[in-house]
């Protein structure tokens, strides 16, 4: 790939990283969320606090970890604490600013499915399951979801609700007792979705350069609403791509740490 060109995944990673801020306390998962958070740390948010489910707080990995048990995380962390402390002291106490989540399915109100595809009793596919996602979705001050957009993943009705977003909208989340504000950003390979202030239904508010919003609508399993004033998300600049590719290259080469 030429230095100026970028993949859809790189665009998603950069767009999500730009949403994080210096000093943000971020609960991170392995994979794309980890790449997002570490890219932000290396570019514009050096004081970001990364928390991984293995109990590492303030990890500053030089390369992307293979799993939450990767020694790179513990070696570079400010502290390593028991898992119950991560959930009770940090997450449930409201000390996590952003929780990054992925899923197999998302609906118009930001509810997520990471449990099964098909009927629960006889599923077509059994997925990894809930893990800490329900607690993150409930207690993080806000959640960000990173997910490729297609009618199979952006569905009118979830096969199973693993983690609550806004329920059926219009205040159901608030009445449920969930502490956090819910999914405030959904980053896809087309652009950015945010909840409507009144209905809480996700709507397209920004697209990447050279992306037709009609294509995002076609890739959604419900009638996706498009904001009246649609922002354009600029393409990654050379420095963003350089740092991101070095993160990935270090892991692929297995460089010593």
């Amino acid at each position: 790939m030429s230095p100026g060109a970028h993949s859809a995944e790189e665009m998603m990673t950069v767009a999500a990283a730009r949403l994080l801020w210096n000093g943000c306390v971020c609960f991170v998962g392995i994979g794309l969320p980890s790449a997002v958070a570490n890219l932000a740390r290396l570019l514009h948010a050096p004081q970001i606090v990364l928390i991984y489910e293995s109990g590492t707080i303030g990890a500053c990995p030089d390369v992307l970890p293979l799993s939450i048990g990767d020694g790179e995380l513990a070696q570079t962390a400010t502290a390593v604490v028991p898992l119950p402390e991560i959930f009770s002291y940090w997450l449930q106490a409201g000390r996590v600013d952003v929780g990054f989540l992925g899923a197999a399915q998302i609906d118009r109100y930001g509810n997520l499915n990471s449990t099964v595809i098909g009927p629960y009793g006889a599923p077509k596919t059994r997925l990894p399951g809930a893990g800490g996602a329900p607690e993150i979705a409930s207690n993080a001050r806000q959640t960000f979801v990173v997910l490729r957009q297609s009618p199979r993943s952006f569905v009118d009705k979830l096969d199973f609700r693993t983690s609550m977003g806004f329920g059926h909208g219009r205040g159901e989340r608030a009445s449920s007792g969930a502490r956090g504000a819910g999914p405030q950003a959904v980053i896809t390979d087309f652009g950015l979705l945010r909840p409507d202030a009144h209905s809480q239904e996700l709507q397209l508010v920004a697209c990447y350069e050279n992306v037709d919003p009609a294509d995002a609508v076609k890739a959604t399993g419900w009638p996706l609403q498009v904001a009246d004033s649609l922002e354009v998300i600029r393409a990654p600049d050379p420095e963003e791509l350089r740092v991101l590719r070095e993160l990935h290259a270090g892991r692929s080469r297995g460089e010593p740490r």
Side-chain angles (χ1 to χ4, degrees), residues 139-173:
N139 292 289
R141 292 179 181 173
Q142 57 180 318
T143 55
F144 292 172
V145 180
V146 185
L147 186 62
R148 284 182 176 269
Q149 196 166 348
S150 76
R152 293 180 63 185
S153 55
F154 282 63
V155 298
D156 187 52
K157 181 177 174 56
L158 299 178
D159 290 338
F160 185 92
R161 184 195 290 182
T162 307
S163 305
M164 182 174 180
F166 295 105
H168 293 96
R170 299 190 181 278
E172 183 176 328
R173 179 183 176 88

Side-chain angles (χ1 to χ4, degrees), residues 32 46 72-73 84 89 104 110 117 125 141 145 185-186 211 237 247-248:
L32 197 56
E72 174 79 5
L73 296 177
Y89 181 81
I117 300 298
T125 304
R141 292 179 181 173
V145 180
V186 179
V211 168
D237 61 41
L247 273 172
H248 283 288

Side-chain angles (χ1 to χ4, degrees), residues 91 101 112 132-140 143 163-165 173 178 180-183:
L91 187 58
L101 294 174
L112 303 176
E135 289 288 337
I136 296 168
S138 178
N139 292 289
T143 55
S163 305
M164 182 174 180
R173 179 183 176 88

Side-chain angles (χ1 to χ4, degrees), residues 204-218:
L204 185 68
V205 299
C207 278
Y208 304 134
E209 293 179 0
N210 301 317
V211 168
D212 187 341
D215 291 333
V217 173
K218 292 177 184 176

Side-chain angles (χ1 to χ4, degrees), residues 31 36 125 146 203 234:
V36 168
T125 304
V146 185
Q203 63 173 332
R234 62 180 173 83

